[in-house]
Amino acid sequence: MNVVLIGAQWGDEGKGKMVDYLAADAQIIVRFSGGANAGHTIVRNGEQFALHLIPSGVLYPDKTVVLGSGMVIDPEALFAELSMLESRGIDWKGRVLISDRAHVVLPRYRDVDKEMEASRKMPIGTTGRGIGVAYAMKASRDGVRLADINDPARLANLEPADMDFLSEWAERLSPLAVDLTNYLDHHRNAYILFEGAQGALLDLDAGTYPFVSSGMSSAAGAAAQGGIGPRAIDKVLGVFKAYSTRVGNGPFPTEFDENSQSALCQFVRDTGREYGVTTGRPRRCGYLDLVALRYACLANSIDSLILTHLDVYDTLDSFEACVAYKVNGTLVEHFPASVSDLDGAQPVLRSFRGWKRSLAGVRRYDELPIEATDYISFIEEFTGTAIDIVSVGYDRQETIVRKSPWIRY
Ligand code: GDP
Ligand code: IMO
Ligand code: MG
């Protein structure tokens, strides 16, 4: 069974926590896109792990994790992460594989990334990890795949420094290489979880271009870049927070106003620990944008939503969510492509009552306060998508499952 999990906002929705949670019932976890720009946090019995490249199922000793064909892999970052796991008692040898079609991030890509940002009139706010450059090289057919690193004919166009770098890492990378489609075909009866990076609104095609990342963070990426075809996907899960965040630049219609809502913004940022895992940058925060969420559901065939960070609203008397925009005085109910329209969009907000009690210990849906289930029901109705899992804290255990994604229905 193939279950795909993606972020349904601008990243950092809690994908790491949810992949770790759902991986308990999977045998293989395949991360299909992005690179060391991602930061996926897992908290297991109070112990925190931050992963950038390795799929979030790696903490279980019996799971195989695969870095998929759509990933762009910085060998230095990869082996630093593997060493970190090793030093914390996670034995990864023999169960971390890399698609031989995945691309390598060369050190100079990071410099080019930073130079391009510095020369942009409207900087994107990239993570500076060379991600956009690696995908551009891939698209221009000048990239280096894992399958090519021991093939001198394929490397003929590279500069000597690149060749030196690759020969330094080839010996450690090559043993991890796998033909992903063939591998997954051999495990076609396994329970496989496909882990997205970034989020639907950072996807190169469907996101708020040009303020996006350069990979396929949409559900379609699992098919194009996860080694399976589109009809092999059994279910698509979309993770979203009770509110919205974004790191870096770009439109964000529901962003809290830095003057009139600065206390609320700081409260959400601190309570939700909204600081980038990769760059440490404070995340921009705002109310939940339901117009954007509905768009993400439609553009990704999301079967089932996972709501995280509901606990962050525990102490609020009331809060709001965006149900439409006003653009140049006109009511807009869909998510526009134009960045100028999104920049100028005034959110039309609907108010919700807070529940004023801690959700931390809640493990059953029927134990949630009525104000929380009212919010959930409204989101389900607005997006036309069921919310089957609710997360009420960062720890693995702080999770309420209404319907397991591993059951076929
Ligand atoms: P990812 O990129 O989607 O994996 O998300 P990040 O790890 O970048 O950011 C999510 C942050 O929220 C991490 O610090 C998680 O530990 C934390 N988190 C995940 N789910 C919840 C939740 O339900 N409640 C709270 N308070 N924190 C959560
Ligand atoms: P996870 O997987 C949030 C953002 C960057 C920047 C834009 C382009 O942890 O959700 P890039 O370095 O990819 O060229 O930057 O995308 N970005 C993310 N924002 N979560 C992420 O990953 C992100 N990965 C990239 O901040 O705005
Ligand atoms: Mg993250």
Side-chain angles (χ1 to χ4, degrees):
M1 185 173 182
N2 296 320
V3 172
V4 175
L5 181 148
I6 61 159
Q9 296 167 308
W10 281 286
D12 305 325
E13 300 88 347
K15 298 177 293 294
K17 173 192 162 162
M18 293 319 310
V19 168
D20 170 68
Y21 183 83
L22 295 171
D25 293 318
Q27 283 96 49
I28 303 168
I29 299 87
V30 181
R31 169 88 181 261
F32 57 86
S33 70
N37 50 348
H40 295 179
T41 314
I42 303 171
V43 185
R44 186 188 63 170
N45 303 325
E47 196 186 354
Q48 180 163 321
F49 293 83
L51 301 173
H52 302 281
L53 286 160
I54 316 276
S56 300
V58 74
L59 301 192
Y60 299 88
D62 56 337
K63 317 287 178 197
T64 299
V65 303
V66 191
L67 286 76
S69 312
M71 287 191 69
V72 288
I73 297 164
D74 177 337
E76 289 171 315
L78 174 68
F79 284 99
E81 208 166 309
L82 289 171
S83 300
M84 178 276 289
L85 289 173
E86 220 166 283
S87 71
R88 296 176 69 179
I90 311 289
D91 184 11
W92 60 269
K93 296 215 172 71
R95 58 187 191 87
V96 173
L97 304 174
I98 311 177
S99 165
D100 57 8
R101 290 178 168 84
H103 280 244
V104 176
V105 175
L106 296 171
R108 68 184 158 89
Y109 294 179
R110 293 194 294 258
D111 302 331
V112 178
D113 186 358
K114 288 172 196 146
E115 282 160 23
M116 286 175 75
E117 272 289 89
S119 69
R120 281 189 179 108
K121 289 209 173 69
M122 288 192 304
I124 295 161
T126 74
T127 58
R129 299 294 191 273
I131 305 300
V133 181
Y135 281 115
M137 294 297 276
K138 172 178 173 176
S140 66
R141 289 140 303 160
D142 293 312
V144 179
R145 300 173 311 162
L146 199 53
D148 306 324
I149 57 175
N150 293 310
D151 181 352
R154 284 292 310 133
L155 306 179
N157 290 328
L158 291 181
E159 294 165 16
D162 297 337
M163 301 279 273
D164 291 347
F165 177 80
L166 289 171
S167 61
E168 188 188 325
W169 290 100
E171 213 173 298
R172 297 177 75 184
L173 283 168
S174 299
L176 309 184
V178 67
D179 178 336
L180 183 55
T181 300
N182 191 35
Y183 177 80
L184 294 182
D185 187 41
H186 274 94
H187 294 84
R188 72 179 81 95
N189 295 321
Y191 277 32
I192 305 174
L193 186 55
F194 291 84
E195 174 181 8
Q198 289 75 56
L201 305 176
L202 287 173
D203 177 79
L204 184 62
D205 292 283
T208 48
Y209 189 92
F211 298 99
V212 291
S213 192
S214 304
M216 284 183 80
S217 37
S218 56
Q225 308 185 327
I228 53 168
R231 283 174 48 214
I233 297 175
D234 293 292
K235 214 166 280 182
V236 178
L237 313 178
V239 187
F240 76 105
K241 292 194 239 216
Y243 47 93
S244 306
T245 62
R246 144 155 240 179
V247 212
N249 302 324
F252 186 178
T254 62
E255 183 169 18
F256 293 132
D257 183 82
E258 61 184 46
N259 299 313
S260 63
Q261 292 173 306
S262 71
L264 178 61
C265 182
Q266 202 54 45
F267 167 79
V268 168
R269 184 176 289 146
D270 290 341
T271 313
R273 305 198 300 177
E274 297 298 353
Y275 294 88
V277 182
T278 300
T279 57
R281 291 179 288 183
R283 294 174 183 151
R284 299 159 65 194
C285 301
Y287 281 132
L288 176 63
D289 186 338
L290 284 165
V291 181
L293 184 63
R294 181 170 55 194
Y295 166 71
C297 288
L298 289 171
N300 292 279
S301 304
I302 292 177
D303 296 295
S304 166
L305 284 165
I306 299 176
L307 166 60
T308 66
H309 296 77
L310 193 57
D311 53 294
V312 172
Y313 279 170
D314 278 357
T315 57
L316 298 186
D317 292 322
S318 65
F319 56 88
E320 296 178 311
C322 169
V323 292
Y325 308 127
K326 276 264 173 71
V327 180
N328 300 322
T330 306
L331 192 72
V332 173
E333 293 183 296
H334 68 277
F335 192 71
S338 157
V339 166
S340 302
D341 283 355
L342 279 170
D343 271 336
Q346 294 298 316
V348 177
L349 297 165
R350 183 193 193 281
S351 192
F352 295 85
R353 278 182 306 139
W355 41 92
K356 306 278 283 173
R357 53 170 266 212
S358 168
L359 301 185
V362 178
R363 296 291 174 272
R364 282 169 44 147
Y365 193 77
D366 57 13
E367 288 167 3
L368 281 171
I370 183 82
E371 294 84 357
T373 55
D374 280 352
Y375 187 42
I376 292 170
S377 301
F378 185 86
I379 300 169
E380 289 184 312
E381 204 164 307
F382 191 94
T383 58
T385 311
I387 296 177
D388 288 329
I389 299 180
V390 179
S391 169
V392 291
Y394 43 76
D395 203 274
R396 195 187 262 179
Q397 311 306 326
E398 293 172 315
T399 309
I400 301 167
V401 179
R402 295 172 86 184
K403 204 182 255 179
S404 165
W406 297 113
I407 297 168
R408 289 181 198 270
Y409 50 83

